[in-house]
Amino acid sequence: MRQPETLELLREVYVENLRDGRASASSIGAKLGVAPSLVRSALLEASAKHLITLIKGQVGLTPTGRRRLKVVMVGGAFEIIHLGHIHALSEAKQQGNTLIVVVATDDSVQKNKGRTPVTSQAMRVTLVSSIRQVDLALPGNKGSIYEILVKIRP
């Protein structure tokens, strides 16, 4: 097995914290397919470079670590995934090193398209998550669209 590269490690810390606020050596190792001992070693190196914080088993990015990531955010309904979606997401991923996709709420689809969505938001998030270029797919907010921008900080 190999130790994760710094950028790969930082991306997973960022994504895991966005997903559920709990990035740890074991969750990062599981996502990367790397042994926890190798992840812990990489985390200690990143901590020594002031890229991450390690507090009681939880991992966070420092401002320096966050600046290493170029986060691209894409939003949409993604009702029926087609080649145009894949092409757009591939192009978006090339603009940075971390791609976050925000999937519109069912209410937003209803409001913007004037009809009930073909598939539920939960199913659309699952489908978008399975696309190779996507680092994380998140459900959109029911409130202000700006709330998610503050959370993601693309």
Side-chain angles (χ1 to χ4, degrees), residues 26-124:
S26 59
S27 67
I28 294 165
K31 179 71 176 173
L32 296 176
V34 176
S37 61
L38 292 174
V39 173
R40 279 190 287 279
S41 175
L43 289 171
L44 289 173
E45 287 178 24
S47 178
K49 295 176 184 176
H50 306 288
L51 300 174
I52 63 162
T53 58
L54 292 167
I55 301 170
K56 297 182 182 176
Q58 298 301 305
V59 186
L61 290 179
T62 65
T64 302
R66 176 60 177 84
R67 282 192 298 273
R68 294 265 185 110
L69 296 177
K70 185 172 181 186
V71 178
V72 177
M73 186 182 94
V74 173
F78 299 96
E79 283 194 273
I80 299 173
I81 303 292
H82 54 76
L83 190 56
H85 287 115
I86 305 301
H87 178 73
L89 294 172
S90 295
E91 290 295 316
K93 180 67 177 223
Q94 290 178 17
Q95 301 304 308
N97 53 37
T98 306
L99 178 59
I100 308 299
V101 178
V102 179
V103 178
T105 64
D106 293 342
D107 290 343
S108 291
V109 174
Q110 175 75 43
K111 179 181 165 191
N112 293 325
K113 295 189 176 189
R115 60 174 171 70
T116 304
V118 175
T119 54
S120 71
Q121 183 186 37
M123 184 180 290
R124 291 180 282 127

Side-chain angles (χ1 to χ4, degrees), residues 98-153:
T98 306
L99 178 59
I100 308 299
V101 178
V102 179
V103 178
T105 64
D106 293 342
D107 290 343
S108 291
V109 174
Q110 175 75 43
K111 179 181 165 191
N112 293 325
K113 295 189 176 189
R115 60 174 171 70
T116 304
V118 175
T119 54
S120 71
Q121 183 186 37
M123 184 180 290
R124 291 180 282 127
V125 168
T126 299
L127 288 169
V128 171
S129 294
S130 71
I131 298 171
R132 177 174 39 105
Q133 294 86 346
V134 176
D135 293 299
L136 179 64
L138 293 170
N141 292 29
K142 290 191 182 218
S144 166
I145 62 170
Y146 300 107
E147 289 174 24
I148 198 87
L149 287 171
V150 171
K151 184 177 179 179
I152 295 171
R153 296 181 303 126

